[in-house]
Amino acid sequence: MSADDGATILETKDGGSKTPDIKKTKFDVIIIGAGPSGYTAGIYSSRAGYDTLILSGILPGGQLVNTTEVENYPGFENAIMGPDLMIDMRKQSQKMGTTIIDDEVVDVDFRRKPFKVLTASEEYEGRAVIIATGATPRKMGLDGEETFAGKGVSYCATCDGPFFRNQEIVVVGGGDSAIEEATFLTKFATTVHLVHRRGELRASKVMQERAFNNEKIKFHWDSAVIDIKGDQKVQQAILKNLKTNEETTLDIGGLFVAIGHNPNTELFKEQIELDDKGYVVLKNQTHTNIEGIFAAGDVHDRTYRQVITAAAFGCMAAIDIDKYLTEDADK
Ligand code: NAP
């Protein structure tokens, strides 16, 4: 629920609601991003008594908003839907006192303290900042991908799967995301063609087994989609076997791309040290190269990238900030 100005209505500790003080611009802690790491950092930071702001960006909830069942987040014996988990984390963070504003950060100034975080309409100041901007789905780089975006090409099976009832679908990728999406899409599709560039999957064994046992999933090994064709919408995918160079045409209704993610660090590249793939480099625990600027979640994590690890990094960043701010009262 949003107020006219775009600010989110908050739930208070007594269960009521209030509109965030949108005139307030100075905070102890500013968290940029509202995925599992951002919300968890908000819970810990507010609970520790810090005046905390989350600027959530244009897609609050991060990647989990685009997922289906999460069955490996502890505490949910019967799994929980990704979007529901994020709504609960958001409410929990608000309940602890975090101000959440659904606005996009357009610039930052980490060169001097207090740090500045800017949206199109406001300039916020924070004594410490957590970068929790996560990562974005990677694209294949084909012309057809752009041409047919929203017309059969998708990056979100949960969002778009029901549009492809009784049609054939291609899913590109071999990781957990691709297998999860392919399995989910068998609810709607007659056949899901899983196109993977190698001869074995990267996905976890349990998810692989599930996919191998699903008769609706057909695997195209050592293959790439080299072209997407159609009139008003996607009608064909052209596959190339990378070992034999043989080309195959599949008549399809939709094509889902699930080939990994790129970290959302464009905003910070002039000021924060990034690695060769654009991930934030951590110097010590969750500290970046700038004292007082911290990072949490998929924006720096190339290894684990789970909901629980993102949440854990959010917790760690908030605890590190507590230590940082209490060690020097002048900060
Ligand atoms: P990922 O593990 O990085 O896998 C990306 C897949 O896409 C790989 O199979 C890769 O092929 C392929 N790929 C990359 N670039 C490509 C390109 N240009 N063209 C064709 N294929 C390309 O990414 P992810 O599947 O999104 O998973 C990210 C993280 O989230 C992982 O840690 C995963 O475990 C986690 N995750 C967990 C769950 C779950 O537990 N329920 C669900 C989803 C994701 P290669 O294998 O040849 O490199």
Side-chain angles (χ1 to χ4, degrees), residues 5 118 221 323:
D5 51 41
L118 290 80
W221 302 107
K323 194 159 181 290

Side-chain angles (χ1 to χ4, degrees), residues 58-75:
I58 47 175
L59 183 64
Q63 294 171 52
L64 273 200
V65 167
N66 296 336
T67 60
T68 51
E69 287 186 344
V70 178
E71 54 183 20
N72 53 6
Y73 192 81

